[in-house]
Amino acid sequence: MRTGRLLGAGRTADVYELHADEGESGPHCPDGLAAAAGTVAPGGPADRDGADRHTGRGADRSGGRGADGNTGHGADGCTGRDGAWVLRRYRDGRGDAVAEAEVMEYVRSHGYPVPRVRSATRTEMVLERLTGPTMLEAFAAGLIDPAAAGATLARLLHALHAVPPRTHPAFRVLHLDLHPENVVLAPHGPQVIDWNNAEEGPPGLDWGVSAMILAQVAVDEDDPRAHLAHDTLVSLLAQRPDGPAALTEGGLAEARRRRAANPTMSAREVELVGPAEQLIRRIAGPGPTA
């Protein structure tokens, strides 16, 4: 197998289309999640970099692909009986694609909408190539409005936190990067991509991170998408749950701490963390966190 053109470039990972070598056919693509066996994904040797790169705050994606680079039209990648595939490759030894793939396959086994994974090593993953725009691209095309976007994000968070825990009974799988550029609006429904930040913990942290990501854009007066982010945040927070799965005080505080400590964010982005938290509290109203 060989890699084709670059489909997307994030701050720590690149995504390439895959092609069969001459004489090969699609069924020779890697078959099944081979992470545990350490199978090398095609494409040769070799993000947990935070969500900001997916909010459009830098020129990190190309060609109308989704935030994971795994969207596109047609089956021009590594094709087989199951469709087209792309290669995601971390740069500079970053990331843990095996752990990321295992989380994706776990939530997918419980019906959660994620791309299929064919194989993974520590630095590479072969995954399903999706068709359709990201939610952020759908905004630009007028295909979705902030109210619907916020409602969709809320449903995806609710559904994820309903997946049975993997280890600790009080914890749930958390995406910790769920926002409009990490949701691909595929023909068969929204698909959640980019799971490199995923871990297990209290659902309130997931709500806090998603809210903080949107709020950082919303409070940036120089960002032309600020009003869209603001209205999406309003819709998201209007549908947050009550009780231990809610946007908690601890979850919001930890989300702020993580965003401020994220080494991939610019100084300007870090400056927006405080105002973003204030905006979340204003929108949520008195007693916004449990």
Side-chain angles (χ1 to χ4, degrees):
M1 307 310 302
R2 57 189 173 85
T3 56
R5 60 196 170 103
L6 180 69
L7 298 177
R11 297 187 182 184
T12 62
D14 299 314
V15 178
Y16 301 87
E17 62 184 4
L18 285 178
H19 296 287
D21 293 323
E22 186 175 356
E24 289 185 332
S25 60
H28 293 288
C29 292
D31 192 14
L33 176 59
T39 301
V40 176
D47 4 16
R48 204 172 186 86
D49 60 346
D52 53 285
R53 80 189 195 289
H54 300 311
T55 59
R57 306 180 73 82
D60 51 284
R61 297 293 172 195
S62 62
R65 271 82 188 178
D68 209 12
N70 62 324
T71 62
H73 300 278
D76 58 333
C78 172
T79 60
R81 291 165 295 187
D82 296 327
W85 307 86
V86 295
L87 172 69
R88 181 175 181 178
R89 177 181 293 161
Y90 285 103
R91 295 192 302 272
D92 303 322
R94 294 174 180 265
D96 186 348
V98 170
E100 184 176 353
E102 289 175 346
V103 172
M104 292 173 68
E105 287 298 288
Y106 177 78
V107 298
R108 184 173 177 272
S109 72
H110 289 277
Y112 197 75
V114 300
R116 290 171 294 168
V117 176
R118 291 295 292 257
S119 64
T121 66
R122 191 185 67 79
T123 57
E124 296 183 340
M125 182 192 308
V126 176
L127 66 160
E128 177 184 9
R129 184 173 184 174
L130 300 175
T131 299
T134 65
M135 187 182 287
L136 186 63
E137 292 164 349
F139 274 139
L143 300 176
I144 192 171
D145 60 31
T152 298
L153 292 173
R155 285 197 300 272
L156 290 169
L157 285 170
H158 282 296
L160 178 59
H161 302 153
V163 171
R166 296 176 71 196
T167 56
H168 196 291
F171 287 168
R172 292 295 185 272
V173 175
L174 311 180
H175 185 275
L176 298 179
D177 203 2
L178 187 58
H179 55 82
E181 202 172 349
N182 276 346
V183 177
V184 175
L185 301 182
H188 52 295
Q191 301 287 303
V192 179
I193 60 176
D194 203 348
W195 289 77
N196 57 327
N197 283 355
E199 62 183 62
E200 293 180 69
L205 175 58
D206 227 0
W207 283 87
V209 170
S210 290
M212 284 293 298
I213 293 167
L214 290 169
Q216 280 179 273
V217 179
V219 298
D220 189 348
E221 297 178 352
D222 297 326
D223 196 317
R225 302 155 307 141
H227 69 289
L228 290 174
H230 179 278
D231 293 348
T232 302
L233 177 63
V234 170
S235 176
L236 173 71
L237 292 180
Q239 300 177 70
R240 68 189 189 277
D242 297 322
L247 172 64
T248 62
E249 184 66 41
L252 184 56
E254 178 62 10
R256 172 176 176 165
R257 186 195 68 78
R258 293 190 183 204
R259 295 294 289 170
N262 188 334
T264 69
M265 291 205 308
S266 67
R268 171 60 176 163
E269 289 169 328
V270 173
E271 289 176 359
L272 296 173
V273 168
E277 181 184 7
Q278 294 173 12
L279 176 63
I280 292 169
R281 293 183 181 280
R282 286 200 302 272
I283 293 174
T289 55

